[in-house]
Amino acid sequence: MAPRPNSLEQHTDALNGQKHKSVYMAPAVSTVALIQADLDREEDPWDLPELQDTGVKWRDLDSKGKGKRVCISVLKLVALLGLLYLFVCSLDILSQGFQLVGGKAAGDIFQDNEVLSNPLAGLVIGVLVTLLVQSSSTSSSIVVSMVSSGLLQVSTAVPIIMGTNIGTSVTNTVVAMTQAGDRSKFRRAFAGATVHDFFNWLSVLVLLPLEAATGYLYRLTELIVRSFNIESGDNAPALLNVITDPLTHSIIELDESVISGIATGDPEAKNKSLIKTWCSTMKNTTLQNVTIVNCTSAPCWEWKNVTEIINIQKCHHIFVDTNLADLAVGLILLAMSLVVLCGCLIFIVKLLNSMLKGQVASVIKKIINTDFPFPFSWVTGYLAIMVGAGMTFIVQSSSVFTSAITPLVGIGVISIERAYPLSLGSNIGTTTTAILAAMASPGETLTNSLQIALVHLFFNVSGILLWYVLPFMRVPIVLAKALGNVTASYRWFAIFYILFCFFFIPLLVFGLSLAGLPALLGVLLPVALLLLFIIVVNFMQSRWPHRLPHCLRTWEFLPLWARSLEPYDRMVTACAGRCCCCCKCCQVIVPGDEEAGPAEKKPCGVEMHDEPAISNENCTSTPVILKVTAL
């Protein structure tokens, strides 16, 4: 039998064991703490980056170096202004190219008055027409022409005006795609562009049913128009068009009355070309003897005033004597303008990155993003709205202004919170131009034209009252950031978003509207209820999961394809790999895309390693369930 150890030996062994155990566990506890602290210090992707100045400081330069830097800065500023000028001109050419490709189709869409009587169909028609002509002012002028000619009632035109507000916001969303090469910039740029989209969609979601039920926009604008004895005024000021027209008119000029003529049912307009041939004309009205067709009794003639258009001078643009069809010219202009547009944006971003460094960047960012001191901090956002309205009034295009600030959001000069009120001001600015243009209408059509313009104005004002005045109601910012995170992880989803929201949904609703109201409600109502259920469950999962049934506390009961974008990402990656398997571009990691990594990674977690630097290496985060609908 082995000897029984005494109590002193047991006590000594126990102490030694505790000592060795505590010494052994200390590094593990310390490592976990370091890893957790490192995770807590993880940078917010929405923080504005610091643009570091890597060059020689100004105080360290001699006189020659200072003069050289001043000359380079002036040249960069001139180049930046030139690129902005080409950028605005390319947007104008892009709009005219779209009008040549789809302008006549847009005019035909407006002729179906039975479809236009449905408010939801009128909304999507406004979206589709604005997408076809890429100009809300053009689509609005078509609506005004139809109202003035009596083919369309003002109350019927209200949903179409709402749709034009949505259609014009696609331009800056497409512009954000040019920054897809850098994941962080793309996240901010796409969120900065889509915050405008979400504002328009949410405003329509609330105000269209309200208008259909009460007609408050129609009644309010009618009361304003009748209360004031408004007389016809001067034409809307040209402002920026005075600078851009010489270049754009040397490339192409369009006869915008052709689209309005098709919409109002003019049979001769369908056979006319949109390309303007004669820029200087004169109307000559004479009293002529006109023969009466199918006359049964004499005399078979009567005197009528006949207006004859006399051509004086031809236009001087490139396509004035072309034999090409409007579609061919439109496709040429689209290709040319897109190349110039993308090139200008790339060089603008590079110039801004080189100019906005060090102290200059900090000053500009402080001016744009800093709020007024308390208690006047709330005034800053409304001042940004006024700035956005003023700048849009100067450039006379909301798409130009929002497309110009999108690259600035991407490189981190403007925050999402500041881009939101600037975009809201842009919506207001584009309506003031329409009001001035309406006041230039003839006296017999002034009332209806002005009422339509005021409908556009008060629709945007009502949206601002809904989604901006109360800070907790600024839902578009939250949704834009959520979409920005999704598109940063799955960049193909940005293209899917544009096609789905601006083409598929409007075309689907338009097709169902042709089938009748029962078919429209039978498809859209279940889809709307399903989306509402998903949003409510997601919200409760994040706030009060214990109040949900056990099966709904997570979405794990659904198959992976129904709760995550990973299966679709693998499909898109496989298709892209087959498309570029013969080139080396698939194996190149784009600079600034550090978040991209191997296709197969193990899930991230808090793991203990001897070297904390490798603790999170080769891992990926768990897919976020239903990212698109989660708030």
Side-chain angles (χ1 to χ4, degrees):
M1 180 180 292
R4 183 178 181 180
N6 55 34
S7 60
L8 180 59
E9 291 177 348
Q10 291 178 351
H11 182 66
T12 303
D13 293 340
L15 289 177
N16 291 334
Q18 291 179 1
K19 179 179 179 181
H20 290 305
K21 184 178 181 180
S22 61
V23 171
Y24 175 74
M25 291 299 295
V29 175
S30 177
T31 306
V32 173
L34 288 173
I35 296 173
Q36 189 64 38
D38 184 66
L39 292 176
D40 293 339
R41 288 195 304 268
E42 185 179 357
E43 293 184 0
D44 186 357
W46 300 105
D47 288 340
L48 296 182
E50 292 292 336
L51 302 177
Q52 300 294 333
D53 189 1
T54 57
V56 183
K57 295 185 179 299
W58 176 265
R59 62 175 178 267
D60 297 333
L61 292 173
D62 55 7
S63 300
K64 183 179 179 180
K66 291 180 180 179
K68 183 179 178 181
R69 177 169 293 186
V70 170
C71 292
I72 293 176
S73 300
V74 171
L75 290 176
K76 286 183 178 179
L77 181 60
V78 172
L80 180 63
L81 293 176
L83 289 170
L84 288 174
Y85 176 76
L86 290 177
F87 171 74
V88 175
C89 291
S90 63
L91 282 176
D92 193 5
I93 298 296
L94 181 72
S95 173
Q96 297 187 54
F98 272 109
Q99 291 183 50
L100 286 171
V101 172
K104 291 187 176 181
D108 289 330
I109 290 175
F110 275 119
Q111 287 187 322
D112 197 343
N113 290 327
E114 294 183 1
V115 177
L116 292 176
S117 60
N118 183 350
L120 197 57
L123 172 74
V124 297
I125 285 174
V127 175
L128 290 173
V129 170
T130 308
L131 288 173
L132 287 173
V133 300
Q134 276 297 291
S135 173
S136 60
S137 59
T138 301
S139 54
S140 300
S141 66
I142 297 174
V143 177
V144 170
S145 300
M146 296 184 68
V147 171
S148 301
S149 60
L151 297 176
L152 197 64
Q153 299 295 324
V154 175
S155 57
T156 308
V158 172
I160 304 176
I161 292 296
M162 294 183 182
T164 62
N165 214 57
I166 294 175
T168 192
S169 63
V170 71
T171 307
N172 59 325
T173 308
V174 175
V175 167
M177 296 292 297
T178 59
Q179 292 183 279
D182 188 296
R183 189 179 296 269
S184 299
K185 291 180 180 179
F186 185 52
R187 175 189 282 112
R188 290 190 295 266
F190 201 79
T194 54
V195 72
H196 192 198
D197 304 348
F198 283 118
F199 169 78
N200 289 329
W201 283 110
L202 290 175
S203 298
V204 165
L205 188 64
V206 175
L207 297 179
L208 181 62
L210 182 63
E211 175 66 21
T214 63
Y216 89 100
L217 284 174
Y218 171 76
R219 298 178 187 276
L220 176 62
T221 53
E222 184 182 33
L223 178 64
I224 293 174
V225 170
R226 290 184 177 181
S227 300
F228 297 95
N229 186 18
I230 303 175
E231 299 181 357
S232 179
D234 297 327
N235 290 327
L239 298 178
L240 190 67
N241 289 349
V242 175
I243 305 174
T244 59
D245 281 350
L247 178 59
T248 57
H249 286 178
S250 65
I251 299 174
I252 189 68
E253 280 193 74
L254 300 185
D255 188 0
E256 296 182 356
S257 63
V258 174
I259 302 177
S260 300
I262 295 174
T264 53
D266 185 4
E268 297 182 358
K270 290 188 176 181
N271 298 323
K272 289 183 180 179
S273 173
L274 281 170
I275 302 174
K276 185 181 286 188
T277 304
W278 297 93
C279 288
S280 179
T281 59
M282 182 179 66
K283 291 183 178 181
N284 184 26
T285 303
T286 58
L287 188 64
Q288 295 183 7
N289 190 350
V290 180
T291 303
I292 302 175
V293 182
N294 298 327
C295 179
T296 57
S297 59
C300 292
W301 54 270
E302 61 180 350
W303 293 97
K304 282 187 176 182
N305 289 325
V306 178
T307 301
E308 182 183 3
I309 298 177
I310 301 174
N311 298 321
I312 300 175
Q313 185 179 2
K314 272 191 172 184
C315 299
H316 299 289
H317 56 83
I318 299 174
F319 299 98
V320 64
D321 291 321
T322 183
N323 295 324
L324 298 175
D326 287 0
L327 178 61
V329 176
L331 293 176
I332 293 172
L333 292 177
L334 284 179
M336 180 183 68
S337 59
L338 284 174
V339 170
V340 176
L341 178 68
C342 294
C344 288
L345 282 176
I346 291 171
F347 286 112
I348 285 173
V349 171
K350 290 185 177 295
L351 273 176
L352 289 174
N353 281 329
S354 65
M355 294 173 66
L356 300 178
K357 290 182 178 180
Q359 189 174 4
V360 178
S362 62
V363 171
I364 294 177
K365 288 167 65 175
K366 284 182 180 178
I367 293 174
I368 295 178
N369 300 301
T370 303
D371 294 335
F372 287 116
F374 183 82
F376 301 104
S377 56
W378 59 274
V379 179
T380 312
Y382 296 97
L383 181 62
I385 292 176
M386 295 174 61
V387 170
M391 293 299 297
T392 304
F393 178 76
I394 292 174
V395 301
Q396 289 193 333
S397 174
S398 60
S399 59
V400 170
F401 176 73
T402 54
S403 299
I405 67 174
T406 297
L408 297 177
V409 176
I411 65 176
V413 176
I414 301 177
S415 64
I416 307 296
E417 289 75 13
R418 187 65 73 239
Y420 181 50
L422 288 173
S423 300
L424 302 187
S426 168
N427 282 351
I428 298 295
T430 192
T431 60
T432 57
T433 306
I435 291 173
L436 290 176
M439 293 183 67
S441 302
E444 62 273 10
T445 62
L446 174 63
T447 302
N448 291 334
S449 302
L450 186 59
Q451 187 175 356
I452 288 295
L454 289 176
V455 164
H456 198 183
L457 172 64
F458 283 101
F459 168 73
N460 285 299
V461 171
S462 301
I464 292 174
L465 294 176
L466 272 174
W467 307 111
Y468 187 78
V469 173
L470 300 177
F472 66 88
M473 289 295 292
R474 295 171 186 175
V475 181
I477 297 178
V478 180
L479 295 177
K481 286 186 175 182
L483 183 60
N485 289 328
V486 173
T487 52
S489 301
Y490 311 101
R491 297 186 216 188
W492 55 266
F493 190 79
I495 302 175
F496 172 79
Y497 164 80
I498 295 174
L499 296 177
F500 185 78
C501 291
F502 292 101
F503 292 95
F504 177 75
I505 292 180
L507 288 173
L508 175 64
V509 175
F510 182 68
L512 292 174
S513 301
L514 296 176
L517 185 61
L520 182 66
L521 295 178
V523 174
L524 294 185
L525 193 59
V527 174
L529 292 177
L530 178 62
L531 287 176
L532 181 63
F533 172 77
I534 293 174
I535 293 172
V536 171
V537 171
N538 269 329
F539 182 76
M540 293 191 67
Q541 284 177 352
S542 61
R543 296 294 183 91
W544 307 290
H546 58 279
R547 297 185 180 181
L548 290 171
H550 185 73
C551 61
L552 289 179
R553 293 180 182 178
T554 65
W555 297 104
E556 296 295 333
F557 66 93
L558 293 174
L560 186 62
W561 60 266
R563 56 186 171 87
S564 175
L565 294 175
E566 284 190 1
Y568 309 101
D569 185 59
R570 288 196 292 266
M571 293 171 56
V572 173
T573 304
C575 294
R578 292 191 184 98
C579 292
C580 58
C581 61
C582 297
C583 61
K584 298 181 180 179
C585 63
C586 297
Q587 302 175 2
V588 177
I589 298 177
V590 179
D593 192 14
E594 293 82 2
E595 296 180 22
E600 297 183 359
K601 294 181 179 181
K602 53 185 180 178
C604 290
V606 179
E607 301 181 6
M608 291 180 290
H609 294 269
D610 293 335
E611 298 183 16
I614 63 171
S615 58
N616 291 326
E617 186 175 299
N618 295 328
C619 65
T620 184
S621 58
T622 304
V624 178
I625 298 173
L626 298 176
K627 293 181 180 179
V628 179
T629 57
L631 295 178

